[in-house]
Amino acid sequence: MLEEIIYEYYDSVDSTNERIKDKAHEGRTQGLVVSAGMQTAGKGRIGRKWESPTNDSISTSILLEPKELPIEEVATITVVAAMAVRDAIKKKCGLDGQIKWPNDIVYDGKKICGILTEMEMQDGKVWFVTCGIGVNVHNKEFPEEIAFKATSIDLQLKREGIDIHCSRKELTEAIWESFKKYYNLFLETGDLTNLREEYERYLANRGNRVRIEAQENSYEAIAKGINNRGELIVEVDDEEKIISTGEVSVRGIYGYI
Ligand code: BTN
């Protein structure tokens, strides 16, 4: 169970995920959150970079010790985190987002958040996990190559005519409070039994034709939902197929979703 959360803030770090790893090696324990005003070497999924410019976005990571969780279930923590971010943004900013499987929170078809979960093992078991979350908050524009698929909380608030200021500190705390709730429900069963129905309610690709892009092949399918491990269930030629989070991207046929 995740109980107490302890917050540490730095103006600038290379990557909050990397700082959590250092802290775990120094003996720090579950519940430590490291947040930073900016990251100089933010990391994205599949070896990509994650831009986190000065004081515009949230960069935050937590240290978890799910010692009894089977290694193959660790990736599902990303799905749990996506639910927490969606929930916290709704509560704090009034924005009702959807989830693009597995872990992107999207508004108006554009991504507002990225999540990267990493694990270290000892004696063949989970030693610790760091789950890192990046949220675009005050960003007014994005680099040309991602502008078509990226948005921020401020841009969405403006678009929806909602006149509130989103505090990065308050939203960060709301995210981890919400994460605590979802994560403990996840740990009860070690899978998404308690959370699947809610996740599917917000699943942006549900019922949509999507393109599955794996390393060696790419094909079209209909996204049906997820299973209790957080894997995507798709239909191809009247047959169900399970897509696991890994080296696979799922794209809409006509755009990012
Ligand atoms: C993605 O590719 O969508 C995942 C991006 C994850 C970015 C966050 S920002 C906080 C934490 N620290 C990192 O270096 N990456 C994650």
Side-chain angles (χ1 to χ4, degrees), residues 30-257:
Q30 161 153 287
L32 173 68
V33 165
V34 166
S35 306
M38 68 172 284
Q39 298 183 114
T40 53
K43 304 192 306 176
R45 285 178 67 221
I46 327 178
R48 295 187 190 123
K49 279 202 276 184
W50 177 261
E51 299 281 343
S52 15
T54 323
N55 296 327
D56 272 341
S57 53
I58 287 173
S59 303
T60 186
S61 303
I62 196 166
L63 174 57
L64 302 168
E65 294 175 299
K67 305 271 188 206
E68 302 308 319
L69 193 67
I71 285 159
E72 58 278 14
E73 307 303 332
V74 168
T76 314
I77 294 174
T78 299
V79 168
V80 175
M83 296 182 71
V85 176
R86 204 214 78 86
D87 182 65
I89 294 177
K90 174 78 178 92
K91 282 191 182 129
K92 277 281 153 198
C93 315
L95 295 169
D96 217 348
Q98 289 185 300
I99 301 173
K100 175 181 175 287
W101 182 87
N103 64 320
D104 291 347
I105 316 295
V106 292
Y107 296 81
D108 182 30
K110 292 180 173 181
K111 171 169 167 168
I112 215 162
C113 154
I115 302 166
L116 178 67
T117 300
E118 298 179 277
M119 164 183 69
E120 287 202 16
M121 288 164 46
Q122 211 167 41
D123 302 328
K125 294 184 89 181
V126 176
W127 173 20
F128 68 86
V129 168
T130 175
C131 176
I133 298 175
V135 187
N136 303 325
V137 181
H138 301 311
N139 316 53
K140 305 245 171 329
E141 55 192 13
F142 293 92
E144 202 182 321
E145 62 281 10
I146 59 165
F148 73 99
K149 62 170 183 181
T151 190
S152 70
I153 288 187
D154 281 3
L155 289 173
Q156 287 310 118
L157 287 172
K158 194 168 167 205
R159 187 173 184 273
E160 298 201 14
I162 304 173
D163 186 19
I164 57 163
H165 172 75
C166 175
S167 144
R168 290 185 306 148
K169 180 173 183 290
E170 281 177 24
L171 182 56
T172 301
E173 288 172 8
I175 287 171
W176 291 123
E177 276 313 307
S178 186
F179 178 82
K180 184 160 86 176
K181 177 185 81 182
Y182 288 111
Y183 180 68
N184 287 338
L185 283 168
F186 163 71
L187 285 186
E188 265 179 25
T189 59
D191 66 16
L192 297 176
T193 305
N194 295 326
L195 303 175
R196 179 177 167 183
E197 200 184 310
E198 182 176 332
Y199 181 93
E200 287 188 332
R201 211 178 308 143
Y202 301 118
L203 181 59
N205 338 65
R206 196 172 189 193
N208 289 357
R209 183 162 277 278
V210 293
R211 174 168 291 280
I212 313 293
E213 292 173 356
Q215 236 162 21
E216 61 301 336
N217 69 335
S218 146
Y219 55 91
E220 286 185 20
I222 308 280
K224 307 296 276 183
I226 59 163
N227 61 19
N228 283 343
R229 301 187 61 199
E231 296 163 327
L232 188 69
I233 304 166
V234 298
E235 197 181 284
V236 197
D237 300 331
D238 294 327
E239 267 183 44
E240 263 188 15
K241 240 180 119 132
I242 303 294
I243 312 291
S244 51
T245 51
E247 307 291 290
V248 166
S249 291
V250 175
R251 298 261 171 271
I253 299 298
Y254 300 111
Y256 166 62
I257 289 189

